[in-house]
Amino acid sequence: MEILHSQILGQGEPLLILHGFLGMSDNWKTLGNRFASNYEVHLIDQRNHGRSFHDDEFDYEVLADDLFRYIKHHKLKDIVLLGHSMGGKTAMFFAVSYPQIVHKLMVADIGPRYYSAHHQDILDGLNAIDFSVQTSRGAVNDELEKYIPEFGVRQFLLKNVYRKTKEQLAFRFNLKALTDSYDEVGVQLPSLSSYTGDTLFLRGANSGYITNEDFSLIEGHFPNYQVVTVKNAGHWLHAENPNDFYDYVVSFLTV
């Protein structure tokens, strides 16, 4: 099996960072460079994302197994694991499956519960792109705007557009596999699974992904947990308020 692509920055205790759905490791480059002053930071592209391999199979079990192979390949031990959204769910699945490898766990704006499908407009917009018709980034943006009015969301998605050949653009992510397996993204953590290490949940003050009602379920899976709320931030809390996000993470890791 292939090994996940990553960017490795700095030296020290290994800190592995997992991006969210339709994201990539580049989304974390700025914060990754800040963390790299004290840690060996691994910015990882999950399968079907970024520069990692494409595969029809896509669920949290295989995402966790990909990460396990990556850790073995790089001979890492006692890792610190941070994941955002889908990457946070991958991190939870990994921690309950391989608790002996994870020194500390951090989950950004996602809980262990089931989440119903809510990216359908985005997937419809992406699947409407025909790169034989939309031959420039501007044309791709114009087509996406019919489905996705939010400028920031379109900018995030356009980071995945690259020049496959001199004449043709393409998406870095495996759109077909992600569309076909989309129901897998919202699944909940298996009941009775647990990780007893120190766990930090970070939630955006303006996001509804982690509510106070989720705390009892979180505690059932992660008994040594704490929750912090990042002010002036929604679901993209690490991008919307990177300074507070960074401070919360460093404070948790240095206790």
Side-chain angles (χ1 to χ4, degrees), residues 94-138:
F94 184 85
V96 301
S97 300
Y98 303 101
Q100 71 281 5
I101 297 175
V102 182
H103 175 54
K104 287 189 174 184
L105 173 66
M106 294 171 289
V107 180
D109 216 57
I110 196 81
R113 65 175 164 91
Y114 167 77
Y115 290 81
S116 58
H118 55 281
H119 290 99
Q120 201 54 56
D121 288 347
I122 290 175
L123 290 172
D124 289 345
L126 292 171
N127 279 290
I129 300 299
D130 179 348
F131 285 113
S132 66
V133 177
Q134 285 87 33
T135 56
S136 69
R137 297 174 71 86

Side-chain angles (χ1 to χ4, degrees), residues 4-242:
L4 296 171
H5 177 270
S6 69
Q7 304 174 62
I8 302 174
L9 314 167
Q11 292 181 317
E13 184 180 8
L15 166 58
L16 279 57
I17 301 180
L18 302 175
H19 61 79
F21 186 62
L22 299 173
M24 63 172 84
S25 58
D26 283 355
N27 302 147
W28 286 85
K29 196 73 180 286
T30 302
L31 270 173
N33 280 319
R34 291 184 69 182
F35 291 130
S37 59
N38 295 298
Y39 297 90
E40 181 182 275
V41 179
H42 294 247
L43 304 177
I44 297 172
D45 286 328
Q46 300 191 82
R47 72 164 59 194
N48 294 325
H49 290 79
R51 290 173 174 79
S52 280
F53 58 88
H54 289 187
D55 194 283
D56 290 342
E57 195 173 5
F58 189 79
D59 58 42
Y60 287 114
E61 283 77 13
V62 297
L63 293 178
D65 287 346
D66 289 344
L67 186 58
F68 179 73
R69 278 194 304 278
Y70 177 90
I71 289 166
K72 295 284 280 186
H73 176 80
H74 289 279
K75 298 180 172 61
L76 304 178
K77 296 177 181 176
D78 298 327
I79 67 162
V80 174
L81 185 56
L82 166 60
H84 171 245
S85 199
M86 182 194 81
K89 194 69 79 79
T90 302
M92 286 187 269
F93 268 78
F94 184 85
V96 301
S97 300
Y98 303 101
Q100 71 281 5
I101 297 175
V102 182
H103 175 54
K104 287 189 174 184
L105 173 66
M106 294 171 289
V107 180
D109 216 57
I110 196 81
R113 65 175 164 91
Y114 167 77
Y115 290 81
S116 58
H118 55 281
H119 290 99
Q120 201 54 56
D121 288 347
I122 290 175
L123 290 172
D124 289 345
L126 292 171
N127 279 290
I129 300 299
D130 179 348
F131 285 113
S132 66
V133 177
Q134 285 87 33
T135 56
S136 69
R137 297 174 71 86
V140 174
N141 177 67
D142 291 345
E143 182 65 23
L144 288 177
E145 192 172 7
K146 299 174 186 176
Y147 300 82
I148 307 162
E150 301 89 357
F151 174 77
V153 176
R154 294 198 308 278
Q155 291 301 109
F156 165 76
L157 296 169
L158 284 167
K159 289 181 179 176
N160 288 281
V161 176
Y162 76 108
R163 198 157 286 286
K164 188 177 182 180
T165 67
K166 243 199 276 196
E167 292 78 29
Q168 189 171 33
L169 298 173
F171 289 127
R172 288 208 181 275
F173 45 61
N174 182 353
L175 183 57
K176 183 180 187 308
L178 296 178
T179 301
D180 291 346
S181 302
Y182 179 59
D183 287 345
E184 295 292 337
V185 177
V187 301
Q188 68 183 48
L189 209 60
S191 59
L192 304 180
S193 62
S194 66
Y195 168 74
T196 58
D198 292 340
T199 304
L200 176 67
F201 284 82
L202 305 106
R203 61 176 180 172
N206 305 324
S207 169
Y209 273 72
I210 298 178
T211 67
N212 292 352
E213 289 71 37
D214 293 325
F215 291 0
S216 59
L217 181 62
I218 289 172
E219 185 175 20
H221 290 288
F222 305 97
N224 290 310
Y225 84 102
Q226 55 182 289
V227 178
V228 296
T229 302
V230 179
K231 66 176 189 273
N232 302 320
H235 186 55
W236 304 98
L237 62 177
H238 57 293
E240 294 169 38
N241 189 345

